[in-house]
Amino acid sequence: MSLLQIDNVSQHFGNLVAVNGVSLSVDAGRLHAVIGPNGAGKTTFFNLISGFFRPTSGRIFFDGRDVTLLPPDERVAMGMARTFQITEIFPELTVRENLRIPVELAHGLRLKLRVPKDVQEQVSQRVEELLDLGGLSAHADRMVGELAHGDQRATEILMSLALRPRLLLLDEPTAGMGNQETYNMARLIRRLHQSQSLTIVLIEHDMRVIFNLADRITVLAEGRVLAEGSPDEIAASEQVQTAYLGKAA
Ligand SMILES: Nc1ncnc2c1ncn2[C@@H]1O[C@H](COP(=O)(O)OP(=O)(O)OP(=O)(O)O)[C@@H](O)[C@H]1O
């Protein structure tokens, strides 16, 4: 069964149709990439999935439930997590302290003065698990603001996992990264996908990352679905090459 089902969704901004009748279905455990040239509607589409915009028309289902009108926080509570192009971390706190914040929130602890010892231990254990998962244990006590950009983004992604989401929406996770950082980020995404059975929908510009990681790819152009298929099918599509890959190469 699909974890995420999008039926014929459109988003108008005045006369501009940013997303035009897009449908997409993502099965649990899949990694689905959304690609397309600048202005194709990718970010708007993500805003619709995560609830920052309400579509002009169409429906969105998550885990079988119609979430079209649900606000972002209720979607998060249902198991949807999203990271943004802009890094959202606390630069003057350490990596461990940054991770501790959402983990405590996930345990309902942030406003409690007295926290039972066993709960404190569960929180600490989950923080260490996340550090380990992200390969960040060696940097745990460093201030996030001092880390390389790639490690900052990794921290942010790990923070979004504190609530143990089932769907992770990643908006250009390798934006602004060099080759080595891009490679490390792709490895982290693969690890999350495989070891945590996390369903991932990813917007990405870097073709190496997409063709390496994705099970399926949707190509958007001018707000519409230009093509959808496996990486091999998309790479072989003349229509896609003309509209997108040709230009990007
Ligand atoms: N809040 C908004 N109000 C009006 N127009 C918008 C708004 N957000 C996006 N648009 C327009 O919708 C179209 C699609 O934009 P969007 O940012 O979704 O594309 P994108 O594929 O994410 O592009 P990029 O790769 O450059 O980030 C563009 O023409 C953009 O100018």
Side-chain angles (χ1 to χ4, degrees):
M1 194 187 100
S2 20
L3 183 62
L4 180 68
Q5 170 87 37
I6 296 170
D7 288 341
N8 206 13
V9 158
S10 295
Q11 177 72 44
H12 296 209
F13 295 116
N15 288 332
L16 179 94
V17 187
V19 172
N20 195 348
V22 171
S23 296
L24 183 140
S25 173
V26 184
D27 287 344
R30 290 299 180 99
L31 197 152
H32 197 119
V34 178
I35 66 173
N38 288 344
K42 304 180 297 293
T43 303
T44 305
F45 186 56
F46 251 41
N47 282 328
L48 291 169
I49 301 175
S50 52
F52 286 90
F53 293 153
R54 283 188 180 176
T56 313
S57 59
R59 291 253 158 265
I60 300 172
F61 298 86
F62 179 59
D63 202 16
R65 184 171 159 202
D66 187 341
V67 297
T68 315
L69 303 178
L70 281 191
D73 58 329
E74 288 187 37
R75 297 187 202 202
V76 170
M78 283 180 71
M80 231 191 238
R82 172 171 179 182
T83 62
F84 294 85
Q85 279 183 36
I86 306 153
T87 305
E88 292 200 333
I89 40 180
F90 300 97
E92 283 164 23
L93 297 182
T94 67
V95 177
R96 186 179 272 114
E97 285 163 348
N98 267 279
L99 290 175
R100 208 173 171 86
I101 294 167
V103 174
E104 285 186 352
L105 276 171
H107 281 78
L109 297 185
R110 273 268 119 180
L111 296 172
K112 292 218 170 104
L113 291 177
R114 282 215 188 94
V115 179
K117 210 160 184 207
D118 59 330
V119 180
Q120 275 181 36
E121 275 165 17
Q122 282 168 23
V123 167
S124 300
Q125 197 181 336
R126 178 68 180 147
V127 170
E128 297 312 309
E129 267 171 33
L130 289 171
L131 284 167
D132 191 39
L133 186 64
L136 286 174
S137 299
H139 296 316
D141 295 317
R142 288 184 61 193
M143 286 204 315
V144 168
E146 292 175 348
L147 297 183
H149 175 61
D151 288 333
Q152 293 189 357
R153 288 231 69 184
T155 305
E156 185 202 22
I157 291 173
L158 295 171
M159 287 170 78
S160 74
L161 298 183
L163 282 169
R164 299 184 191 274
R166 282 171 296 158
L167 174 68
L168 179 62
L169 303 167
L170 293 173
D171 192 349
E172 292 205 38
T174 71
M177 290 184 189
N179 280 341
Q180 185 61 42
E181 281 187 322
T182 299
Y183 173 73
N184 291 343
M185 179 54 74
R187 281 186 48 193
L188 172 61
I189 294 169
R190 186 192 298 281
R191 203 154 62 234
L192 298 181
H193 178 49
Q194 290 178 346
S195 73
Q196 310 286 295
S197 308
L198 198 56
T199 310
I200 297 178
V201 180
L202 162 88
I203 296 179
E204 179 57 59
H205 273 125
D206 192 309
M207 289 296 153
R208 293 164 305 177
V209 173
I210 291 157
F211 285 101
N212 255 313
L213 289 179
D215 299 310
R216 285 193 82 72
I217 300 173
T218 294
V219 185
L220 292 184
E222 296 178 359
R224 293 177 186 274
V225 176
L226 181 73
E228 196 198 307
S230 67
D232 286 347
E233 286 164 348
I234 295 299
S237 159
E238 263 180 46
Q239 203 185 9
V240 174
Q241 301 224 349
T242 313
Y244 183 50
L245 299 177
K247 281 186 204 163

